[in-house]
Amino acid sequence: MAIPKIKKQDITAALQYIDAHGVPVQHQSTRYELITEDGKRYPPKYVIAVAAHLTNGTEIAADTFDAAEAKAFLQHEGFQIEEKQQKYELTISADQVSSTDGRFTMDDLSLGDHYKPLDTYFEKADGTVIRRKYSRGERRNTNQTMPRIACQIFEKQLAALSIEEKEAFPVCQYKPGNPVIRGIYSSVNAYRRYRNTIEYLTYGYDDGRQFVFYCWNIFSTILFVQECLKRFGEPGDRFVLVYRDKNEREEKSASHTDVTPDTLVQSVENAPNPYSAMLRASKNIIFRGAPGTGKTYLAREIAADIVSDGYYDRYEDLPDEQKQQVGFVQFHPSYDYTDFVEGLRPKLNGDGSMGFALQDGIFKKFIDCARKNYEDSSKSQEMIAKEVSAQDALEEFFASIQLGEDEFRTITGNPFFVTGIDDQHINIRIPGNACVDTISLNMDEIRKMLESDQKFDKIKDVTSFFGKKFATQAYSYDFVLYKAIKARMKKHAKKNINREKRKNYVFIIDEINRGEISKIFGELFFAIDPGYRGEAGAVSTQYANMHADPDEIFYIPENVYLIGTMNDIDRSVDSFDFAMRRRFRFIEIKANDRLEMLDQIGEKKEEAIRRMTALNQEIANAEELNENYQIGAAYFLKLQTLSFDQLWTDCLRPLLQEYIHGMYDESGIMQRFEKAYGYPETHNGDTDEATEN
């Protein structure tokens, strides 16, 4: 597959063609969009196909290259490409199957290979919604979730069917001409006598009994679900499946890891991502628990879910733009306010000497981005247009002058030169001033003047505009530069200004209890309180007097969520600040809460769960230990490269020996741990004092 030979001007001509003729339904984009400066959106593959048609006289065909190739080509040519995040809703009732996705058809359910489920639920005729009661270790929102809900809802009715009725039960028909796949079986062995594949799900019920039937892609059990509604449902009942297109990584991997047994151990009923719901409700949460329980991985999953509005559940799948909406830091005992909020940092001056400059810390930079989005999303289109016009004027003006050479004069005739600029400052040199020959002006002040409708005829107008009683030296230079910029401002064609969409931002603090919280957060204790988000919780930071605007205040907007993680047994810092405790919701993640992580180790999963459960029970029984010392599933991910014995000798045993160091009968305790885990080493001559007693 290859992109046709076309140039940038051919693409521009194609956009004009599409403006005049529109986009046929079959060529609508499902993954990416080309976005022009005036806000128009086009399907990239169709744009290239039209460009090739106009240039080479070929038919308009977009099937000789894929979406990723089209994206890469157009980006190389300087066009802006965004990944669409469109969700589709499939509705199944007793007499109808429909989808908001125009590509869906019951004539080819194999297309389900290209989609990923985001949510699925059963809705009764009266509007009551029922979701899956997930078992421990069962992954949420897989290709198996919808048929499992059907089994959950109609479990008694399915169990009451005769053997003949179960074996004749329709499950899947990919295409009208294909044979119907039938059968609900009582075991995997019984299923494999009928169909010897791994394309099945198991649903456990009634203390060890099972339903086993065919399941593969997201659409493969539509027929099964609809048959359940026909036989057992009430009029108006329906199942709803929310899904999206798979991304490039998911398409390439095509790993159907959904085919894992449903053990139904300690069932829990939850929303699609219950922890995301907790974060949305509480704003600030901390995951606490034993080491290796997957708290950090879970935090990243939730962050992906929150910033993508449920579209992605893996941080790695987020587009670059949305990754910027997730911040991450790991605390440690020497971490402090200057790292986190703001502080003085060494700086090399232009003359080669060393000095210090105020720099924002990682958290303040992150909050500034979130705050800008929050404020911009509330602005009118008129205000946005003024800001765009002012920014364009600033950029054009400073691009047109020679830094350090073009002379400007104050109203009193004193010359000065602009020597440098950045996003926040305008550096000027004043050769005639014997006291201070360099000044740094606040770029934002001139920007605000340009955005306003006010006229500035004298410096007093500037002083009044900023609410000051007396003019500062900087206002004299602000006034001159403002006048110069206004004089050069060009009238541009009116742009199609779109109001910015409000986004969510998630900041993750790993090992939050390893830092000295009061030293790191300082006055931000108040600002992070969920009850004081926004300007109600605004504070002046410790270095406010060094800001370009000393009256500047700092606040955390409503679109920011904080996640902390902590190991309960870590005592790097003696205690967790009580003032901070009441501002977070603490959620315990136990050793067996994240067993779905072990899907990554394949066929070793069940054995790993068995050993982990037995070992953790023995740890909890140890006199001076408790659940906080249990072993989490993350340790067992090492089984991807280690054997069970190597995991014990190289990873688990050293950790447990550290736990029990100094306890009475260390040897006996370790022997009990080894026996529970199943480590085969023999202990010649050793005795278990606890057993003897």
Side-chain angles (χ1 to χ4, degrees):
M1 294 187 289
I3 299 295
K5 291 184 178 181
I6 53 175
K7 298 179 180 179
K8 188 170 184 176
Q9 59 265 32
D10 302 326
I11 298 171
T12 303
L15 298 180
Q16 296 171 351
Y17 176 94
I18 294 172
D19 286 340
H21 297 87
V23 180
V25 174
Q26 68 271 25
H27 288 296
Q28 294 289 342
S29 174
T30 60
R31 180 166 294 171
Y32 302 110
E33 288 182 311
L34 184 157
I35 303 177
T36 57
E37 288 185 0
D38 58 1
K40 293 181 180 179
R41 296 173 180 266
Y42 303 84
K45 288 183 66 178
Y46 187 63
V47 168
I48 292 176
V50 171
H53 164 71
L54 296 176
T55 305
N56 305 320
T58 57
E59 293 292 327
I60 298 179
D63 55 358
T64 60
F65 51 91
D66 60 30
E69 290 172 321
K71 170 195 171 189
F73 176 79
L74 291 170
Q75 285 179 327
H76 181 266
E77 293 297 326
F79 291 93
Q80 180 183 353
I81 306 295
E82 284 188 5
E83 186 167 358
K84 294 180 69 175
Q85 294 190 352
Q86 187 170 351
K87 302 175 187 177
Y88 307 104
E89 192 171 280
L90 179 82
T91 303
I92 306 172
S93 64
D95 54 8
Q96 187 179 12
V97 179
S98 61
S99 174
T100 57
D101 178 8
R103 299 163 297 169
F104 173 78
T105 171
M106 286 292 290
D107 292 340
D108 188 3
L109 298 186
S110 64
L111 295 174
D113 291 341
H114 304 296
Y115 306 116
K116 178 179 174 62
L118 299 176
D119 189 16
T120 182
Y121 56 88
F122 173 70
E123 185 175 353
K124 299 174 68 173
D126 62 4
T128 302
V129 172
I130 301 174
R131 284 190 159 85
R132 172 77 177 125
K133 293 180 181 178
Y134 287 101
S135 62
R136 298 289 183 187
E138 180 185 345
R139 290 169 56 217
R140 288 168 172 77
N141 294 327
T142 71
N143 296 348
Q144 296 187 0
T145 304
M146 184 169 66
R148 282 180 171 169
I149 292 180
C151 291
Q152 175 183 311
I153 301 295
F154 303 118
E155 181 181 301
K156 292 182 179 179
Q157 295 93 324
L158 288 168
L161 295 174
S162 67
I163 294 176
E164 292 77 12
E165 288 174 314
K166 287 178 181 175
E167 291 185 352
F169 203 95
V171 176
C172 176
Q173 186 179 28
Y174 279 114
K175 296 181 179 180
N178 291 0
V180 176
I181 299 173
R182 300 177 182 272
I184 303 173
Y185 298 88
S186 59
S187 69
V188 173
N189 286 337
Y191 169 84
R192 283 184 167 168
R193 283 195 293 269
Y194 162 73
R195 191 179 184 90
N196 189 22
T197 71
I198 62 169
E199 301 168 359
Y200 63 85
L201 70 80
T202 61
Y203 175 89
Y205 71 101
D206 196 18
D207 294 330
R209 300 178 67 189
Q210 290 183 327
F211 299 140
V212 183
F213 54 92
Y214 178 82
C215 179
W216 191 240
N217 72 35
I218 190 174
F219 296 151
S220 63
T221 51
I222 287 177
L223 187 60
F224 169 81
V225 170
Q226 188 173 42
E227 188 68 18
C228 288
L229 288 170
K230 289 178 179 178
R231 298 194 189 193
F232 316 127
E234 299 291 334
D237 289 351
R238 64 178 190 154
F239 284 90
V240 177
L241 171 67
V242 182
Y243 63 97
R244 64 166 171 82
D245 291 273
K246 286 182 177 178
N247 60 29
E248 293 172 36
R249 180 194 60 80
E250 291 161 339
E251 286 278 20
K252 288 178 181 177
S253 64
S255 58
H256 294 274
T257 53
D258 297 342
V259 287
T260 54
D262 180 13
T263 54
L264 281 183
V265 180
Q266 200 174 347
S267 181
V268 289
E269 184 171 9
N270 284 313
N273 192 322
Y275 298 109
S276 296
M278 294 176 190
L279 180 60
R280 288 181 184 275
S282 304
K283 294 289 189 184
N284 306 331
I285 63 175
I286 287 178
F287 292 127
R288 52 171 286 263
T293 51
K295 298 181 290 295
T296 303
Y297 189 85
L298 175 60
R300 286 161 63 90
E301 275 188 349
I302 294 169
D305 182 52
I306 293 286
V307 304
S308 70
D309 193 24
Y311 196 79
Y312 291 114
D313 56 9
R314 282 169 48 98
Y315 172 82
E316 293 78 7
D317 290 337
L318 292 174
D320 290 341
E321 181 183 355
Q322 288 185 334
K323 284 181 179 177
Q324 302 305 311
Q325 295 166 234
V326 181
F328 183 90
V329 69
Q330 189 175 72
F331 281 0
H332 51 79
S334 61
Y335 202 77
D336 65 11
Y337 184 91
T338 59
D339 300 309
F340 194 61
V341 185
E342 62 182 1
L344 294 174
R345 288 287 181 263
K347 177 188 176 184
L348 185 65
N349 296 323
D351 59 3
S353 63
M354 289 296 296
F356 288 88
L358 184 64
Q359 290 186 9
D360 289 341
I362 186 172
F363 186 65
K364 190 168 185 289
K365 287 179 182 176
F366 181 82
I367 295 301
D368 285 346
C369 291
R371 178 174 165 178
K372 184 178 187 307
N373 169 260
Y374 185 83
E375 293 174 349
D376 288 350
S377 66
S378 303
K379 293 174 181 175
S380 66
Q381 287 188 312
E382 180 184 5
M383 187 66 239
I384 296 171
K386 288 180 180 179
E387 290 180 355
V388 170
S389 176
Q391 185 61 32
D392 288 347
L394 283 168
E395 291 176 1
E396 290 174 3
F397 174 77
F398 287 115
S400 67
I401 66 172
Q402 293 292 318
L403 296 179
E405 296 183 13
D406 286 0
E407 183 182 88
F408 300 91
R409 289 185 174 272
T410 64
I411 56 175
T412 58
N414 295 324
F416 68 93
F417 301 86
V418 177
T419 58
I421 58 168
D422 59 33
D423 290 341
Q424 298 178 323
H425 305 97
I426 305 168
N427 299 317
I428 65 171
R429 178 170 56 87
I430 315 163
N433 194 320
C435 298
V436 180
D437 62 355
T438 60
I439 289 181
S440 181
L441 305 179
N442 186 348
M443 178 79 79
D444 203 43
E445 288 180 344
I446 298 179
R447 183 182 289 108
K448 288 178 179 178
M449 292 168 67
L450 292 169
E451 290 171 2
S452 73
D453 292 324
Q454 186 169 326
K455 290 185 177 181
F456 298 91
D457 296 322
K458 49 188 178 296
I459 296 177
K460 186 177 180 181
D461 295 334
V462 180
T463 306
S464 175
F465 177 74
F466 289 111
K468 305 292 184 181
K469 290 184 179 180
F470 304 101
T472 67
Q473 181 185 9
Y475 288 167
S476 299
Y477 304 105
D478 285 345
F479 178 75
V480 173
L481 291 176
Y482 164 80
K483 286 291 190 182
I485 294 170
K486 288 289 283 187
R488 299 191 191 188
M489 279 184 72
K490 301 174 183 176
K491 286 191 176 182
H492 296 279
K494 200 169 184 180
K495 290 185 178 181
N496 184 9
I497 304 296
N498 292 319
R499 190 173 177 179
E500 185 165 352
K501 179 183 177 182
R502 183 168 298 176
K503 303 172 184 176
N504 292 323
Y505 291 75
V506 180
F507 195 85
I508 300 170
I509 306 173
D510 199 33
E511 307 285 4
I512 190 171
N513 59 323
R514 295 194 66 232
E516 190 175 332
I517 299 298
S518 58
K519 182 178 74 170
I520 296 171
F521 278 88
E523 66 282 342
L524 299 195
F525 271 19
F526 184 70
I528 69 166
D529 193 309
Y532 291 98
R533 288 294 173 86
E535 295 190 47
V539 296
S540 291
T541 58
Q542 295 177 24
Y543 293 87
N545 63 319
M546 297 185 66
H547 293 175
D549 179 5
D551 296 328
E552 179 187 354
I553 55 176
F554 177 83
Y555 71 84
I556 299 176
E558 291 283 349
N559 60 338
V560 171
Y561 300 86
L562 305 181
I563 305 176
T565 71
M566 59 183 282
N567 293 327
D568 286 335
I569 61 174
D570 193 321
R571 294 292 178 261
S572 300
V573 177
D574 289 340
S575 64
F576 193 79
D577 196 290
F578 286 103
M580 187 63 78
R581 279 188 180 275
R582 69 182 181 85
R583 290 173 166 86
F584 280 84
R585 176 178 177 178
F586 284 74
I587 301 168
E588 183 178 12
I589 306 298
K590 296 183 178 180
N592 66 341
D593 280 348
R594 299 282 295 158
L595 297 181
E596 63 268 26
M597 295 167 58
L598 297 179
D599 286 345
Q600 299 177 48
I601 63 175
E603 60 185 16
K604 293 182 179 180
K605 177 181 177 180
E606 291 188 30
E607 176 66 11
I609 292 174
R610 186 191 66 76
R611 292 190 185 218
M612 187 180 79
T613 302
L615 176 59
N616 282 336
Q617 183 61 51
E618 196 62 49
I619 292 172
N621 290 339
E623 188 173 346
E624 296 184 47
L625 302 181
N626 55 40
E627 287 186 346
N628 293 332
Y629 291 83
Q630 291 183 332
I631 304 299
Y635 283 99
F636 287 81
L637 293 179
K638 299 177 188 293
L639 291 170
Q640 294 176 92
T641 56
L642 301 179
S643 68
F644 280 102
D645 284 358
Q646 289 171 329
L647 177 66
W648 174 259
T649 58
D650 300 348
C651 303
L652 301 183
R653 183 165 63 187
L655 175 70
L656 294 170
Q657 286 173 334
E658 183 69 23
Y659 284 171
I660 66 173
H661 180 68
M663 291 185 186
Y664 175 71
D665 189 25
E666 289 184 37
S667 177
I669 295 173
M670 280 305 302
Q671 287 181 34
R672 290 193 291 275
F673 288 165
E674 288 180 353
K675 182 178 179 181
Y677 176 80
Y679 183 66
E681 183 177 311
T682 58
H683 308 277
N684 297 326
D686 289 343
T687 58
D688 187 338
E689 294 183 19
T691 304
E692 287 184 352
N693 294 333

